[in-house]
Amino acid sequence: LSWKGLIFLIVYVCIGAFTVIACCTFLNHGKDYKDDPETFRQELNMFMTGIVNIIIVHMVLVLNSAIVTMPKMGDEPYRSLSIVMRVLSVIVFANTVLGLRVQIEEAEYYDSMKQLP
């Protein structure tokens, strides 16, 4: 396993962990959205997207466990797929971090609303 492969492995693990945290935040505050069906649908959509991302990331981790080196130049289309998968992982990582931030901010908002008289 090269250092580049290790970095992307860490990225995949972070995506999975952050997505699980975001999904758990929704589960913890799901009852707060019952008064606003539009917000509930948006949050449910984010939750379902998170579940799909968790499944995909775990599939990629299993694939990286089986194939620890980047395919050689003559092994097309597998080499191109590996490269595209790494590029997309960076984009998904950024999206996951932003989604987690939104979930945490909304959780803090609903917690502060509970404390008002």
Side-chain angles (χ1 to χ4, degrees), residues 81-98:
L81 287 172
S82 295
I83 293 170
V84 169
M85 188 171 60
R86 287 182 174 187
V87 171
L88 287 177
S89 72
V90 173
I91 295 169
V92 171
F93 179 73
N95 184 37
T96 302
V97 170
L98 290 173

Side-chain angles (χ1 to χ4, degrees), residues 40-108:
F40 179 76
R41 282 194 299 269
Q42 291 174 351
E43 294 298 319
L44 185 61
N45 181 31
M46 289 179 64
F47 175 75
M48 296 302 290
T49 302
I51 295 295
V52 171
N53 281 347
I54 290 169
I55 293 169
I56 290 172
V57 164
H58 281 83
M59 289 170 48
V60 168
L61 284 170
V62 168
L63 180 65
N64 281 340
S65 297
I67 304 169
V68 294
T69 60
M70 175 76 75
K72 303 291 182 221
M73 284 298 261
D75 294 337
E76 292 297 331
Y78 304 110
R79 180 175 175 80
S80 297
L81 287 172
S82 295
I83 293 170
V84 169
M85 188 171 60
R86 287 182 174 187
V87 171
L88 287 177
S89 72
V90 173
I91 295 169
V92 171
F93 179 73
N95 184 37
T96 302
V97 170
L98 290 173
L100 178 62
R101 175 133 180 146
V102 167
Q103 288 284 55
I104 290 173
E105 287 174 356
E106 285 185 3
E108 290 173 352

